[in-house]
Amino acid sequence: MFVSYLILTLLHVQTAVLARPGGESIGCDDYLGSDKVVDKCGVCGGDNTGCQVVSGVFKHALTSLGYHRVVEIPQGATKINITEMYKSNNYLALRSRSGRSIINGNWAIDRPGKYEGGGTMFTYKRPNEISSTAGESFLAEGPTNEILDVYMIHQQPNPGVHYEYVIMGTNAISPQVPPHRRPGEPFNGQLVTDGRSQEEREEKERTEEKEGDGGVPEVFTSGSAQAFPVRHPDGFSPHRPDDLVPAAPQSPRRSRDHNWKQLGTTECSTSCGKGSQFPIFRCVHRNTHEEVPESYCDSSMKPTPEEEPCNIFPCPAFWDIGEWSECSKTCGLGMQHRQVLCRQVYANRSLTVQPYRCQHLEKPETTSTCQLKICSEWQIRTDWTSCSVPCGVGQRTRDVKCVSNIGDVVDDEECNMKLRPNDIENCDMGPCAKSWFLTEWGERCSAECGAGVRTRSVVCMTNHVSSLPLEGCGNNRPAEATPCDNGPCTGKVEWFAGSWSQCSIECGSGTQQREVICVRKNVDTFEVLDPYECSFLERPPSQQSCHLKPCGAKWFSTEWSMCSKSCQGGFRVREVRCLSDDMTLSNLCDPQLKPEEKESCNPQDCVPEVDENCKDRYYNCNVVVQARLCVYNYYKTACCASCTRVANRHPGFLGSR
């Protein structure tokens, strides 16, 4: 009697503890009010010391194309992360130790998605954004139930593959999970019964087994109060019906008139290709078979739903369309590609099959044109400049820019360099005429007093810059000497020779002059006489040659050309060259002393002359001018105004053909 009282008291205490309200949570050990949680190693109540993180980087340089093993993932691994260091044309692959391909096997590239293998679900990612640099990856929570191998399908240099997973250590804490019990079995070291003998309970079970309905399994509740939670196996598919969650602890008031009965099954997880479904158990009256609340039945006696296959016939084949590749060109019309495979789903796996199985479907395109943006183009911003020389062969330039489709000037590399218009070209202004080149007049007079001369150098030059006979420039040779007078001199009756003048030039060969006169010497003055008065005396020389030093290079220039315009400001030019003592080109002249080569002229306003009959008949006459077609009479008439304008700017532009 005391024992029965003790047992009943214990039952009431346990029931009160497990059924107490207040929203207390259930720990990972399935006990109400437990504060145990799963640590990072996946251990219920663990202290994070029961596992080991394994990580590394596969950086081997691979030479041959094909599959190369990267790392082995052991059985029981969790938190699996296999990631390429950056984007490449290589692919990651996964297969089991038994040789079963899970992802990217048999040279068939799978689409990104979820793939089941090794007892866990792997998420396969392959970023395809143009701007993305991330590589492929496999992610899985685990744990694995077999050894798996990670491979790389090598096609280009290995960017490196980072791998990481967690495995249980030797000091792992086993999860504290309540054991599976049947009524009457020990719980936490205590034996709990319903007050009846073992024979009575067995007799009751035999009686209830005989009372089925139509062969449908029925499980009857015992008459005793079962007050302890029972943990059922949870290894079946996530498609279990929601009403199969273990019920809250029941009160000891149950009737033997109720039992568990299967009432149909859940919906098949797939419409084809082998899915799964589970039986649905409900609490019913054992006689009327009417469904009643589950609290009327013993939750510990509720059968565990077992997975059943359904819709095992294969699904129809379909075209699996991959993502488009990057466009082959960054601007303009390019091409992009994608992979199209014939696939068929069976047993939650997508398998690649022969293309003929998809022949009932139209195959999607594998290539397509693409255009990210309109390419930039070359634009000519200015007309050609004037030729760099007034005669002979020179150069002219124009401004050429690369312009984007919105009008902005961009780098030349964004345009097709093969189509770039020339921005510099040679121009021929016709042969240069032979010309006299002159130095400046010497500043010194040949005589210190009286009449003398100043001299300069004269040379005939052509555009070939070589000395020619003087007659090559014609007979109109410029003078080399000009008179000068530094004032009168005085003397006596005798030949009076003055001092030699300075050399007519500062360098090179020149002449010196001196005054020789017949004078009469007075007491304090000299009287100049006619030369015949001294004819009886030998007359001293009045001129001699002189050579001070080599001249070196000097600036020579031609005469000024005609003014380019008769009014409104034109310009005239001359050629200036640096010549050495032997009249050859030199670069030793002082640049600061170089004479001007160009100067303005005729600044006065022009009197306009309007010819009413001289007009442009076409709107694009500027093209005629640029093409130098004004030399033809037809274009000279059709584009009279434009051709006349350019002729006024460039005399000699129009000719006859």
Side-chain angles (χ1 to χ4, degrees):
M1 189 66 181
F2 176 79
V3 174
S4 298
Y5 176 79
L6 180 61
I7 292 175
L8 289 174
T9 303
L10 179 60
L11 287 172
H12 285 292
V13 171
Q14 291 282 1
T15 302
V17 171
L18 294 177
R20 60 186 173 180
E24 295 188 42
S25 61
I26 299 177
C28 61
D29 54 1
D30 285 347
Y31 281 100
L32 185 64
S34 170
D35 59 355
K36 290 185 178 181
V37 295
V38 178
D39 69 355
K40 69 177 183 180
C41 301
V43 178
C44 181
D47 58 357
N48 297 325
T49 61
C51 62
Q52 178 184 358
V53 178
V54 179
S55 65
V57 178
F58 177 77
K59 290 185 177 179
H60 294 267
L62 307 175
T63 56
S64 61
L65 299 178
Y67 288 80
H68 296 265
R69 197 164 78 113
V70 175
V71 67
E72 173 188 292
I73 301 176
Q75 182 177 350
T78 61
K79 308 295 183 184
I80 301 167
N81 185 341
I82 312 294
T83 303
E84 272 190 308
M85 303 296 284
Y86 55 87
K87 183 191 293 185
S88 72
N89 288 331
N90 302 326
Y91 295 93
L92 298 177
L94 183 68
R95 74 177 182 184
S96 65
R97 185 55 59 89
S98 63
R100 184 177 70 88
S101 173
I102 300 174
I103 302 176
N104 292 345
N106 301 320
W107 290 98
I109 305 304
D110 295 312
R111 294 185 63 184
K114 295 186 180 294
Y115 295 85
E116 185 178 2
T120 185
M121 186 67 70
F122 282 86
T123 301
Y124 175 35
K125 296 182 178 180
R126 186 195 307 142
N128 196 42
E129 296 82 0
I130 293 177
S131 60
S132 174
T133 59
E136 294 194 343
S137 64
F138 295 155
L139 303 175
E141 284 295 321
T144 55
N145 60 8
E146 60 177 323
I147 299 176
L148 302 177
D149 289 315
V150 178
Y151 287 83
M152 171 186 285
I153 306 177
H154 175 243
Q155 300 186 97
Q156 71 173 58
N158 174 24
V161 178
H162 176 266
Y163 57 87
E164 180 177 302
Y165 56 85
V166 175
I167 58 175
M168 299 297 293
T170 57
N171 58 340
I173 301 175
S174 300
Q176 301 299 317
V177 179
H180 298 288
R181 299 181 298 105
R182 291 187 60 82
E185 292 183 342
F187 178 78
N188 290 345
Q190 300 181 14
L191 180 62
V192 181
T193 69
D194 57 359
R196 291 179 293 190
S197 66
Q198 178 67 21
E199 290 78 10
E200 291 175 330
R201 286 193 296 275
E202 292 176 356
E203 177 64 20
K204 170 185 176 295
E205 292 174 0
R206 284 195 297 269
T207 303
E208 292 171 347
E209 289 174 357
K210 296 178 182 179
E211 299 176 356
D213 181 21
V216 179
E218 296 182 352
V219 182
F220 301 100
T221 62
S222 66
S224 63
Q226 176 62 38
F228 304 102
V230 177
R231 180 180 178 89
H232 296 283
D234 54 1
F236 44 80
S237 167
H239 297 292
R240 292 182 61 182
D242 296 338
D243 60 342
L244 297 182
V245 177
Q250 306 295 321
S251 65
R253 295 175 298 171
R254 295 192 188 90
S255 169
R256 296 182 59 216
D257 296 333
H258 301 88
N259 60 280
W260 294 102
K261 180 179 179 180
Q262 180 178 347
L263 297 179
T265 60
T266 61
E267 184 178 354
C268 191
S269 60
T270 60
S271 60
C272 59
K274 190 181 180 181
S276 60
Q277 61 186 16
F278 296 87
I280 299 175
F281 294 100
R282 296 285 190 248
C283 182
V284 300
H285 192 281
R286 61 177 300 173
N287 294 328
T288 64
H289 302 294
E290 293 182 0
E291 185 175 349
V292 295
E294 293 191 355
S295 59
Y296 283 59
C297 294
D298 188 349
S299 61
S300 65
M301 300 301 293
K302 185 175 184 179
T304 301
E306 295 184 1
E307 184 178 4
E308 301 173 357
C310 56
N311 295 340
I312 61 174
F313 53 90
C315 295
F318 63 95
W319 290 114
D320 186 19
I321 304 173
E323 298 182 21
W324 287 110
S325 66
E326 296 181 8
C327 194
S328 61
K329 294 185 178 180
T330 57
C331 70
L333 198 63
M335 296 294 295
Q336 57 183 174
H337 307 270
R338 65 181 177 184
Q339 189 177 53
V340 178
L341 300 175
C342 184
R343 300 179 73 90
Q344 200 165 15
V345 175
Y346 187 77
N348 290 327
R349 290 200 61 204
S350 178
L351 306 175
T352 302
V353 296
Q354 293 297 325
Y356 74 86
R357 296 194 180 185
C358 294
Q359 62 185 359
H360 63 287
L361 300 172
E362 182 180 359
K363 185 176 180 179
E365 295 293 336
T366 58
T367 60
S368 174
T369 58
C370 55
Q371 180 169 302
L372 300 180
K373 64 176 181 179
I374 301 175
C375 291
S376 302
E377 62 179 3
W378 295 108
Q379 283 190 6
I380 300 175
R381 293 296 186 92
T382 62
D383 294 331
W384 289 109
T385 61
S386 300
C387 197
S388 59
V389 296
C391 63
V393 177
Q395 288 185 327
R396 63 178 185 172
T397 60
R398 63 182 176 183
D399 193 18
V400 177
K401 297 294 185 183
C402 180
V403 180
S404 70
N405 60 319
I406 60 174
D408 294 334
V409 177
V410 296
D411 294 335
D412 286 0
E413 289 75 12
E414 293 197 20
C415 289
N416 189 342
M417 296 300 294
K418 295 181 180 179
L419 301 179
R420 189 180 194 277
N422 291 332
D423 59 354
I424 185 171
E425 68 176 12
N426 292 337
C427 51
D428 189 351
M429 300 301 290
C432 294
K434 300 180 181 69
S435 302
W436 291 108
F437 283 76
L438 319 169
T439 63
E440 301 292 337
W441 288 108
E443 295 182 358
R444 296 181 181 178
C445 191
S446 60
E448 295 181 357
C449 61
V453 293
R454 288 191 303 158
T455 61
R456 64 181 178 183
S457 297
V458 179
V459 62
C460 178
M461 300 291 294
T462 67
N463 57 322
H464 298 292
V465 192
S466 61
S467 295
L468 295 175
L470 294 182
E471 60 269 22
C473 292
N475 297 325
N476 190 19
R477 183 172 184 269
E480 293 183 279
T482 185
C484 58
D485 191 346
N486 288 332
C489 298
T490 58
K492 62 179 180 179
V493 180
E494 62 181 10
W495 292 111
F496 178 81
S499 300
W500 288 108
S501 67
Q502 297 183 18
C503 196
S504 60
I505 58 176
E506 297 180 358
C507 58
S509 297
T511 58
Q512 285 181 301
Q513 306 289 337
R514 67 178 178 179
E515 185 71 20
V516 178
I517 59 175
C518 181
V519 297
R520 176 183 295 119
K521 184 178 181 181
N522 297 323
V523 178
D524 296 323
T525 62
F526 289 92
E527 180 183 358
V528 179
L529 303 176
D530 290 332
Y532 73 90
E533 296 287 344
C534 298
S535 59
F536 61 96
L537 300 174
E538 182 181 2
R539 182 172 180 167
S542 60
Q543 179 175 320
Q544 68 176 7
S545 61
C546 59
H547 186 85
L548 299 181
K549 61 180 179 178
C551 288
K554 293 177 62 177
W555 289 111
F556 286 77
S557 63
T558 66
E559 297 282 358
W560 288 108
S561 68
M562 294 291 292
C563 192
S564 62
K565 295 176 66 176
S566 60
C567 57
Q568 283 191 334
F571 64 90
R572 60 180 185 173
V573 296
R574 64 178 177 181
E575 291 189 69
V576 177
R577 294 178 184 172
C578 177
L579 303 178
S580 60
D581 288 327
D582 58 356
M583 295 300 143
T584 60
L585 281 177
S586 174
N587 58 359
L588 300 178
C589 296
D590 187 350
Q592 296 183 350
L593 300 179
K594 182 179 180 181
E596 293 294 333
E597 294 180 281
K598 183 178 180 179
E599 69 177 9
S600 57
C601 55
N602 295 337
Q604 71 276 8
D605 293 335
C606 294
V607 177
E609 296 180 3
V610 180
D611 185 357
E612 294 296 333
N613 296 322
C614 184
K615 296 181 180 180
D616 288 343
R617 299 179 185 176
Y618 302 100
Y619 69 92
N620 56 346
C621 283
N622 59 318
V623 178
V624 173
V625 173
Q626 293 176 1
R628 304 178 72 92
L629 299 176
C630 288
V631 297
Y632 298 95
N633 291 330
Y634 171 80
Y635 291 106
K636 190 186 300 183
T637 303
C639 297
C640 179
S642 297
C643 290
T644 302
R645 262 195 313 274
V646 71
N648 291 336
R649 289 199 301 267
H650 302 286
F653 180 85
L654 298 179
S656 61
R657 288 292 179 98

